[in-house]
Amino acid sequence: MAGRVKSEAQVVADLRRVHEDIRALRLPGFCGPPVHGPAVASRIFLLGQAPGPHEARFGRPFAWTAGKTLFAWFERAFGATEEEARARIYIAAVVRCFPGKTRSGGDRVPSPEEILASRPFIEREIAALRPGLVIAVGRLAIAEVLGETGPLAEVVGRTIRAQFHGQELDVICLPHPSGASTWFKLEPGKTLLARALRQLARHPEIRRAFPRRRAAGG
């Protein structure tokens, strides 16, 4: 029946089927194997941009410098260790393979065709999880969730009610924690990031997933 609430075991089984199809996807411009996190039946859906070369090597999302920063933000916001965050937050990405490098040496931005080919995975994950909160990390993920590509200062630091693949939910946007980015280290990014982390800490889905944690700043 369409509105039936699935058990945790059924959700995990659905996610594992998605992961099988992720691992089977091959696109010409992508480098290395597909990457996905564990099949966590969570009401919190984190959407990143794309794996980097280290994520492909370690076989899990946010496995390198950006991940260290991201999980440090979470520990600062609601006291969760990286292991706790990975166990209680479902981690996905706009595309699931490392897109490769540009001629100048930077990470290549996935093409619209690559994003479109990967989108059904997100749609199926949202259908399985029915999350109450999406954490969109970085411009590409924010655009995927909100359908807009405006300045980060317009969306970071707000809790936005949105429809995403048929699910009404809250969206909290974060800048990408890449070491190459200075946005969150300078104003207004520094203040807006702190505000976004406070909103995360106080969100009901975070409080349910990480009980007895102190919110950032109080």
Side-chain angles (χ1 to χ4, degrees):
M1 190 169 66
R4 182 171 60 88
V5 176
K6 293 184 177 182
S7 69
E8 181 175 337
Q10 289 171 317
V11 172
V12 168
D14 286 348
L15 295 173
R16 286 176 175 163
R17 282 190 286 271
V18 177
H19 292 173
E20 288 176 5
D21 290 340
I22 289 171
R23 292 192 295 270
L25 178 67
R26 294 291 182 271
L27 292 174
F30 284 168
C31 300
V35 176
H36 59 75
V40 177
S42 175
R43 292 267 301 164
I44 306 165
F45 183 88
L46 187 151
L47 188 68
Q49 300 192 149
H54 298 290
E55 282 74 17
R57 182 156 56 94
F58 286 106
R60 63 177 183 170
F62 288 104
W64 204 243
T65 305
K68 286 180 171 56
T69 300
L70 179 68
F71 293 116
W73 289 349
F74 290 166
E75 188 156 19
R76 165 183 158 193
F78 46 89
T81 65
E82 177 178 341
E83 290 72 23
E84 289 170 331
R86 287 187 183 277
R88 302 178 199 176
I89 296 173
Y90 185 86
I91 302 177
V94 175
V95 300
R96 308 305 170 95
C97 292
F98 175 45
K101 295 286 188 180
T102 64
R103 290 183 179 178
S104 61
D107 290 354
R108 182 176 67 83
V109 176
S111 70
E113 293 76 19
E114 290 164 342
I115 293 171
L116 184 63
S118 305
R119 189 168 290 151
F121 301 139
I122 300 173
E123 183 176 12
R124 290 167 61 191
E125 289 163 335
I126 292 293
L129 293 164
R130 301 176 68 180
L133 171 65
V134 167
I135 306 171
V137 182
R139 295 176 189 274
L140 195 69
I142 292 168
E144 182 70 18
V145 176
L146 299 180
E148 56 186 72
T149 55
L152 286 176
E154 292 183 359
V155 292
V156 176
R158 299 168 53 201
T159 298
I160 302 166
R161 196 69 177 167
Q163 286 270 346
F164 186 47
H165 290 298
Q167 178 78 6
E168 187 173 357
L169 40 72
D170 289 333
V171 181
I172 294 179
C173 301
L174 298 177
H176 199 278
S178 164
S181 173
T182 60
W183 187 89
F184 58 87
K185 300 173 185 175
L186 305 172
E187 295 297 354
K190 189 174 179 180
T191 295
L192 292 174
L193 171 62
R195 186 182 301 167
L197 293 178
R198 287 195 298 272
Q199 290 173 339
L200 266 183
R202 294 167 183 162
H203 195 278
E205 297 295 352
I206 293 290
R207 288 184 175 273
R208 274 192 283 270
F210 303 94
R212 298 182 298 280
R213 301 290 185 184
R214 271 184 89 230

